[in-house]
């Protein structure tokens, strides 16, 4: 069992061993190779402002920031956060949609050496409470409202579920309203450039905590350092050929690693380009921004692709400036990959990444065949790739096996999860991705399936056991198995197979209400379909036979729902 941490805010001087880092010899190699440059994000944002003060860094609706303004404003915000009591090493849960305040606060936290913990906009009481407790957060940042949710009311519920000694502050982007103990973002704004510099972070420090897609009960936190994350963003920017004229449109949530650093927001800024935030992922909003701002690259998830193609066909003029479209987070069907480029008049880049680190991308000069049918090859020459069979030994190229990896920006262990780390990593420090891939002689990977108990609902990851544990708290449910089955729109949908006691058995509507309202679970984790069975089928070793369950829902016998 992994033990929950104390919930009160920890200070930087407390020496807690939270996670394993790279061994010194590997770290030295990564520094010598020039991957780790010894700079913090706080130093980077100031250096960018000195190099190109007047270029546009950030656009959100009618609001625009030059690089000089970005650095000045984050300096003032850092002062405001310090005055609130946030210090180097403190964790701060950030749950914001695609608004400029995400970027400004993110850099302000970096300047203090405080550590943003990335929540997704859709997360609700269950996820937020878990994030605050596990990270021992000193503060949470939320929007006033987003997508019909009052996040202040939600935070009040989260705080009520914490022990009395937790001192988690709440910062609201917008009005605090009746919540008098919450701090409005506007009050944090100190004088420009006034960042405190008495206890500066170091480049090897923890810079952020990302949420893992999860395979076990509760989501794990992924530690990323300034050195490794800056390399991730900069190297991805290099692969995408970004420069000062690049304009990146952030369509997917900015808190998502793909959008933030692959190359995304951070890679674009490191290259001197401009970041434009899309308030929603619709092609109508996206195409209007592409036309208005001269966007040159963007990143989509597979379910968005058909809608964006349709809109672009109707209005080809609007996408004239677009050069590169990245697609990742879930498997892009080969047939869609072939049609996307011509529809948007841009080069397609498949991206197979993970918050844990390893990033694979097709290259712009790859042959069409590889761009259409593979999920790319590793970003770094020092990404080490192993593809292993069930016996743990490497399989030949072309054969499917589980992908294991280690390298200059892939974690060596989750945060405060020693027991889980013993299973998720090899003794040599390779991360077990849980993905089934085939490696081609060119080094490109094809994602063919998954051995982890996770559902990938169009890029949104659902840990089956997390939802099963919530389902089992329902008074009528006696057994539950959440299974991914192929779905024409999302690639996969989540089906809950349950056995019930008493009548009537709960249907999908009842369970949706139960999971969202009673359990406080994010809506995207609610099963799309519920199937009640007299008993769940078991494998010979007595585990629930998820393959058999998934196969039972398919018209074509013999195909399982676990494929990537
Ligand atoms: C990205 O990161 P996560 O952490 O949300 O999810 C990682 C998992 C991978 O292990 C794999 O199972 C799946 O998502 N995945 C893909 C994929 N990209 C991710 N499966 C098939 N094809 C792809 N192209 O999803 C992520 C992080 C950075 C960049 C892009 C995606």
């Amino acid at each position: 069992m992994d033990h929950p941490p104390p919930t009160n805010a920890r200070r930087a001087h407390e020496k807690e061993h939270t996670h394993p880092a790279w061994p010194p010899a590997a770290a030295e190699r990564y520094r010598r190779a020039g991957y780790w440059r010894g700079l913090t994000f706080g130093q980077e944002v100031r250096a960018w402002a000195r190099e190109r003060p007047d270029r546009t860094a950030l656009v959100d609706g009618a609001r625009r920031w030059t690089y000089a303004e970005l650095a000045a404003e984050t300096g003032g915000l850092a002062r405001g956060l310090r005055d609130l009591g946030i210090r180097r090493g403190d964790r701060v849960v950030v749950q914001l949609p695609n608004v400029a305040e995400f970027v400004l606060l993110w850099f302000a936290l970096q300047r203090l050496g405080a550590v943003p913990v990335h929540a997704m906009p859709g997360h609700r009481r269950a996820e937020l409470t878990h994030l605050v407790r596990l990270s021992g957060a000193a503060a949470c940042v939320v929007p006033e409202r987003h997508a019909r949710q009052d996040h202040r009311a939600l935070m009040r519920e989260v705080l009520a579920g914490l022990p009395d000694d937790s001192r988690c502050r709440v910062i609201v982007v917008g009005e605090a309203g009746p919540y008098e103990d919450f701090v409005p973002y506007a009050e944090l704004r100190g004088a420009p450039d006034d960042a405190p510099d008495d206890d500066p972070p170091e480049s090897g420090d923890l810079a952020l905590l990302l949420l893992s897609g999860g395979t076990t009960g509760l989501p794990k936190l992924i530690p990323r350092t300034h050195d490794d994350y800056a390399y991730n963003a900069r190297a991805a920017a290099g692969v995408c050929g970004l420069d000062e004229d690049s304009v990146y449109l952030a369509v997917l949530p900015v808190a998502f690693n793909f959008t933030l650093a692959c190359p995304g927001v951070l890679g674009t800024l490191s290259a001197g380009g401009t970041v434009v935030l899309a308030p929603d992922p619709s092609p109508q909003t996206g195409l209007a921004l592409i036309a208005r701002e001269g966007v040159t690259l963007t990143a989509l998830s597979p379910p968005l692709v058909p809608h964006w193609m349709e809109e672009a066909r109707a209005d080809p003029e609007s996408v004239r400036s677009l050069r590169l479209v990245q697609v990742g987070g879930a498997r892009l069907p080969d047939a869609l990959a072939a049609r996307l480029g011509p529809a948007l008049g841009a080069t397609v880049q498949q991206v197979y990444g993970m918050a844990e680190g390893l990033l694979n991308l097709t290259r712009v000069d790859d042959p069409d065949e590889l761009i259409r049918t593979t999920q790319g090859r590793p970003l770094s020459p020092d990404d080490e790739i192993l593809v292993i069979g069930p016996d743990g030994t490497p399989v030949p190229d072309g054969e499917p096996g589980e992908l294991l990896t280690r390298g200059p920006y892939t974690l060596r262990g989750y945060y405060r999860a020693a027991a889980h780390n013993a299973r998720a990593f090899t003794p040599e420090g390779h991360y077990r991705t849980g993905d089934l891939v085939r490696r081609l002689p060119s080094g490109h990977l094809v994602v063919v399936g998954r051995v982890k108990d996770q559902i990938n609902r169009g890029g949104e990851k659902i840990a089956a056991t997390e939802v099963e544990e919530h389902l089992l708290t329902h008074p009528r449910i006696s057994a539950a198995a959440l299974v991914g089955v192929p779905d024409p729109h999302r690639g996969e949908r989540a089906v809950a197979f349950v056995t019930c006691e008493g009548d009537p058995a709960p249907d999908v509507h009842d369970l949706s209400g139960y999971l969202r309202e009673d359990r406080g679970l994010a809506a995207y984790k609610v099963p799309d379909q519920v199937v009640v069975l007299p008993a769940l089928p078991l494998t010979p070793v007595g585990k629930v036979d998820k393959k058999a369950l998934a196969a039972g829902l398919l018209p074509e016998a013999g195909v399982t729902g676990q494929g990537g």
Side-chain angles (χ1 to χ4, degrees):
M1 255 321 269
D2 295 315
H3 296 286
T7 48
N8 55 330
R10 280 180 178 276
R11 295 301 178 204
H13 60 260
E14 289 180 58
K15 285 273 174 274
E16 183 202 357
H17 177 69
T18 50
H19 58 277
W22 289 269
E28 184 51 34
R29 197 149 45 84
Y30 299 149
R31 273 189 288 270
R32 228 180 290 130
Y35 305 144
W36 295 1
R37 297 206 308 190
L39 289 174
T40 65
F41 283 106
Q43 291 170 319
E44 299 245 30
V45 76
R46 278 172 292 159
W48 300 334
R50 284 193 297 272
E51 282 165 32
R52 42 186 125 93
D54 301 324
R55 294 194 72 95
T56 303
L58 183 63
V59 179
D60 173 3
R63 302 186 295 164
R64 309 176 88 82
W65 284 260
T66 64
Y67 278 88
E69 288 163 344
L70 181 69
E73 192 160 333
T74 57
L77 267 176
R79 164 66 60 187
L81 289 165
R82 227 293 271 279
D83 291 346
L84 198 66
I86 311 291
R87 296 284 184 278
R88 176 180 176 194
D90 281 351
R91 276 80 54 205
V92 175
V93 172
V94 179
Q95 185 190 36
L96 289 176
N98 290 9
V99 291
E101 285 79 1
F102 180 99
V103 180
L104 296 165
L105 262 161
W106 197 88
F107 280 110
L109 291 168
Q110 298 303 340
R111 292 184 72 161
L112 280 182
V115 179
V117 182
H118 289 205
M120 284 297 154
H123 285 152
R124 292 295 175 262
R125 193 184 73 234
E127 292 88 7
L128 292 170
T129 304
H130 172 62
L131 283 180
V132 171
R133 294 181 80 122
L134 178 58
S135 68
C140 289
V141 187
V142 296
E144 182 186 318
R145 280 169 210 286
H146 178 65
R148 293 196 299 277
Q149 171 71 46
D150 183 331
H151 283 264
R152 300 164 304 183
L154 180 58
M155 272 318 296
R156 177 60 79 221
E157 282 180 50
V158 171
L159 294 183
L162 298 177
D164 292 342
D165 65 347
S166 68
R167 290 162 298 162
C168 184
R169 306 297 306 262
V170 177
I171 298 165
V172 183
V173 174
E175 302 292 327
Y179 302 90
E180 283 171 9
D181 48 332
F182 292 3
V183 182
Y185 172 87
E187 276 181 23
L188 288 179
R189 289 172 143 184
D193 280 326
D194 192 27
D197 57 4
D198 49 344
D199 187 15
E202 288 163 18
S203 66
D205 286 358
L206 188 59
L208 66 154
L209 286 164
L210 290 169
L211 199 58
S212 97
T215 52
T216 56
L218 287 167
K220 302 288 179 286
L221 289 175
I222 296 161
R224 305 291 303 254
T225 64
H226 296 264
D227 275 326
D228 94 70
Y229 210 55
Y231 170 55
N232 186 128
R234 196 175 64 243
V239 162
C240 295
L242 300 196
D243 61 23
E244 291 210 330
D245 297 322
S246 301
V247 181
Y248 176 79
L249 181 67
V251 170
L252 302 170
V254 271
F256 185 22
N257 175 43
F258 188 13
T259 324
L260 189 61
C262 304
V265 175
L266 298 175
T268 302
L269 294 177
S270 75
T274 300
V275 171
V276 179
L277 300 172
D280 69 73
S282 73
Q284 292 77 15
T285 300
L287 265 53
L289 284 170
I290 291 172
R292 189 184 94 187
E293 301 292 338
V295 168
T296 60
L297 83 153
T298 190
L300 304 176
S301 60
L304 293 175
V305 166
H307 307 291
W308 276 64
M309 289 199 306
E310 195 181 325
E311 192 74 13
R313 285 203 192 98
D315 183 8
E317 256 315 284
S318 63
V319 289
R320 269 223 347 234
S321 58
L322 207 56
R323 297 278 170 273
L324 188 68
V325 184
Q326 301 181 294
V327 185
R331 184 70 150 85
L332 177 67
D334 294 359
L336 272 189
R339 298 211 297 270
L340 178 59
L344 290 186
T347 303
V348 172
Q349 180 179 64
Q350 295 212 40
V351 185
Y352 159 43
M354 53 205 74
E356 283 79 0
L358 179 71
L359 194 60
N360 303 278
L361 316 94
T362 57
R363 304 305 201 260
V364 287
D365 54 1
D366 275 343
D368 274 354
E369 164 86 9
L370 288 178
I371 292 180
R372 275 190 283 111
T373 60
T374 79
Q375 282 63 60
R377 62 180 171 85
L379 175 66
S380 173
D382 275 294
D383 282 321
E384 298 172 53
I385 299 291
L386 286 174
V387 182
I388 62 164
D391 65 355
T393 62
V395 298
D397 277 354
E399 297 289 319
E402 187 189 356
L403 173 64
L404 272 51
T405 186
R406 61 181 186 187
Y409 59 101
T410 296
L411 86 176
R412 292 298 182 114
Y414 293 96
Y415 186 78
R416 290 179 174 157
H420 181 69
N421 287 340
R423 294 188 296 275
F425 295 82
T426 67
E428 292 75 37
H430 293 91
Y431 166 57
R432 300 180 195 274
T433 66
D435 292 322
L436 284 176
V437 303
R438 289 191 299 116
R439 181 171 46 183
L440 308 184
S442 62
H444 288 69
L445 303 175
V446 180
V447 182
V448 295
R450 204 176 304 136
V451 291
K452 56 190 169 190
D453 199 5
Q454 189 184 76
I455 293 139
N456 190 335
R457 197 168 170 271
E460 290 178 321
K461 316 304 183 309
I462 305 170
T465 54
E466 182 188 3
V467 178
E468 288 160 6
E469 282 169 22
H470 283 286
L471 286 169
L472 285 171
T473 65
H474 189 281
R476 288 268 167 77
I477 294 181
S478 46
L482 196 75
V483 178
V485 303
D487 178 89
H489 305 293
R490 296 193 160 266
E492 274 175 45
R493 68 180 189 279
V495 181
F497 293 90
V498 296
T499 64
C500 293
E501 288 160 3
D503 280 330
D507 62 14
V508 72
H509 181 74
D510 302 327
L511 286 184
S512 168
Y514 178 71
L515 291 173
R516 294 177 64 177
E517 278 132 49
D518 296 43
R519 304 298 298 176
L521 204 64
Y524 71 87
K525 295 181 187 168
V526 170
D528 299 290
Q529 189 182 346
V530 175
V531 178
V532 181
L533 295 175
L536 300 184
L538 300 180
T539 65
V541 295
K543 289 191 193 174
V544 173
D545 191 344
K546 291 195 169 183
K547 283 190 177 165
L549 286 170
L553 281 187
L554 291 175
E556 325 86 351
V559 185
T560 77
Q562 296 295 300

